Amino acid sequence: MRTEDLIHFCAPARLVMGCGTRAQLPALVQRLGWRCGVLVTDRFFTQNTPWVREYVEAARVRQIDVIVFNGGEPDPSTVLCDEATASVRQKAEGRVIDHVIALGGGSNIDLAKALCLTLPGGQPIKDFVGDIGGVQPLPLVAMPTTAGTGSEATPGAILIDPENATKIAVMDNALRPQIALVDPEFTYSCPPRVTADAGIDAFTHAIESFLTLDSALYDRQGHADPGYSGRSALTMLFARESMRLCARWMVPVYQDGSLKEGRAAMAYASLYAALSYGSAGLNAVHGLAYAIAAQTHKSHGSTNAVMLPYVLDEIAAVRPHEFVELADVLGLGAMTAAEASRAVPLRVREWVGQLGIATDLKAFGIAEAALETMVKDGLAVVRLAKAFPVADVPAAYRRIVLKAFAGRLSGDA
């Protein structure tokens, strides 16, 4: 317990977890009184798995109408959302849509969250950027098929705005799914690259939120219902369990996707990480990863991964007690704070390499001339920069980027 915590914790109204639990959904939807829903997914799942067909048939038996939208895409855009809104409303033919179901990775879940806002009235999604204006979105069921993003427990949707090629956020606690259904069997067929990127994303969410700004110091800007509000004993509890599972299973599941126990462990680790960062928030890793993505257009998991060891190296000095704990959670054993501050970033960089991801910015494809732009772009993500618990954030970001380019950690010989 930490008596200084100012906890504002939000989670899905219902968590349904376990292998095969997808079969429970039609009965649950019926019990909640929902009668007409939209299932948001993509063509891979309609063409290559039985999951969509099985749900539609089981729902029909219970007199639940399902409109399938399978036009989901990686990094969905505002244009896609508006086109999907018009298409689904046309298919509804006057029926009242009363819920949305998302099946897929973070991109499909983000699109579904946006549709929860746009489907009732047909407005463009840009109307809801910054503040959803007290609108009550449709209830959402999120069924993740990857073990990493944690979108099934978070308050926001990230979309690409094609007009300026930037990412925009639609955020409100009302967008957190009413039901998060985590069935590890959905992840069994994930290819190694997706498994690795998702796994390191989950681990980053856990460790970054474990070390982020305290809830008592977090700037909530006077918001009565903030989406993020800093770390607390409660968020750290979930982060610890997520990191423990990642330390045991993240690399082995990448190396052998048939490990069912490991698949289940990583599905749970992803959710636990989301329950941590979904209230605590994140900081420098994600802020700088967004800057890398703007230059390389590489996956979110890998852009997080290449920065993570160097951010840990920077933050160790202000989180000595946590690093002692991290050393134990990550399997390094009992260490002093000084030993842990060197060993933890080294271990994390080792894992990044084992996941087939470049371990420095130069190998990742970033030119030296672009480093200052990276620092500037990272600092421009103000919410994340303000949550980095160091005295001089701009100077810290610059040190992180330079060390990441050189591939140099304090623990290197």
Side-chain angles (χ1 to χ4, degrees):
M1 186 176 96
R2 305 185 336 160
T3 56
E4 71 275 17
D5 282 336
L6 300 174
I7 296 175
H8 191 94
F9 187 81
C10 299
R14 292 170 179 80
L15 295 176
V16 182
M17 304 172 67
C19 292
T21 49
R22 62 188 181 277
Q24 300 176 21
L25 184 59
L28 180 54
V29 169
Q30 181 184 44
R31 178 173 175 79
L32 292 171
W34 299 340
R35 289 293 174 260
C36 181
V38 178
L39 197 160
V40 179
T41 188
D42 57 57
R43 289 178 181 83
F44 175 83
F45 295 111
T46 54
Q47 296 174 1
N48 298 287
T49 76
W51 302 327
V52 174
R53 174 181 49 80
E54 288 173 351
Y55 177 76
V56 171
E57 291 176 355
R60 185 181 298 121
V61 169
R62 295 178 179 273
Q63 298 182 318
I64 301 165
D65 289 339
V66 182
I67 300 168
V68 176
F69 177 81
N70 70 344
E73 298 175 357
D75 298 319
S77 69
T78 55
V79 172
L80 174 62
C81 180
D82 293 344
E83 290 175 346
T85 301
S87 173
V88 171
R89 283 170 61 86
Q90 183 178 23
K91 289 181 181 178
E93 298 179 331
R95 288 172 291 177
V96 177
I97 297 168
D98 57 18
H99 68 285
V100 177
I101 299 172
L103 174 69
S107 292
N108 286 353
I109 298 175
D110 278 1
L111 176 60
K113 287 179 180 178
L115 289 173
C116 287
L117 287 168
T118 61
L119 284 174
Q123 302 104 304
I125 188 59
K126 285 187 179 180
D127 285 358
F128 301 99
V129 174
D131 187 348
I132 70 171
V135 172
Q136 187 60 42
L138 295 174
L140 174 65
V141 179
M143 298 193 292
T145 58
T146 60
T149 69
S151 294
E152 67 275 13
T154 60
I158 305 298
L159 303 172
I160 299 292
D161 183 354
E163 290 186 2
N164 51 25
T166 59
K167 291 185 176 182
I168 63 170
V170 182
M171 189 171 298
D172 195 278
N173 282 325
L175 288 175
R176 294 181 192 265
Q178 288 293 303
I179 301 171
L181 192 153
V182 179
D183 187 338
E185 292 180 5
F186 282 141
T187 71
Y188 285 2
S189 59
C190 276
R193 185 72 268 135
V194 175
T195 299
D197 285 353
I200 195 66
D201 195 23
F203 179 69
T204 301
H205 290 153
I207 197 168
E208 193 174 9
S209 62
F210 185 75
L211 299 169
T212 200
L213 195 67
D214 287 319
S215 61
L217 302 174
Y218 199 93
D219 182 7
R220 307 182 191 194
Q221 299 182 322
H223 203 303
D225 188 25
Y228 300 107
S229 53
R231 71 171 187 169
S232 66
L234 181 59
T235 64
M236 294 170 76
L237 180 152
F238 287 110
R240 286 186 191 93
E241 180 63 5
S242 177
M243 290 186 290
R244 186 186 68 80
L245 292 170
C246 288
R248 171 66 181 88
W249 290 108
M250 181 172 62
V251 173
V253 168
Y254 165 65
Q255 295 171 338
D256 182 0
S258 69
L259 297 172
K260 293 184 178 180
E261 182 183 357
R263 288 289 193 185
M266 288 307 298
Y268 282 40
S270 176
L271 176 65
Y272 297 152
L275 290 173
S276 177
Y277 95 87
S279 287
L282 302 166
N283 52 69
V285 181
H286 274 70
L288 290 167
Y290 291 150
I292 298 172
Q295 296 190 35
T296 65
H297 304 290
K298 292 185 179 180
S299 74
H300 180 62
S302 63
T303 55
N304 277 335
V306 71
M307 293 309 308
L308 179 57
Y310 305 97
V311 173
L312 293 175
D313 205 43
E314 181 70 27
I315 202 174
V318 298
R319 292 285 188 256
H321 301 298
E322 288 84 348
F323 267 69
V324 170
E325 186 174 356
L326 285 173
D328 182 60
V329 171
L330 304 188
L332 294 169
M335 289 185 169
T336 65
E339 292 169 337
S341 70
R342 294 188 295 270
V344 168
L346 288 173
R347 171 58 61 87
V348 172
R349 187 176 64 182
E350 178 186 0
W351 284 341
V352 171
Q354 290 174 343
L355 293 171
I357 301 170
T359 58
D360 63 73
L361 287 177
K362 187 175 182 179
F364 201 76
I366 297 292
E368 187 171 9
L371 298 183
E372 284 302 320
T373 299
M374 262 193 65
V375 174
K376 179 181 176 182
D377 290 349
L379 290 169
V381 189
V382 177
R383 173 176 61 86
L384 299 178
K386 288 173 65 175
F388 195 42
V390 300
D392 187 342
V393 174
Y397 270 39
R398 186 165 284 104
R399 284 192 296 270
I400 291 166
V401 167
L402 292 175
K403 288 182 178 180
F405 184 79
R408 185 177 69 252
L409 291 171
S410 299
D412 286 326

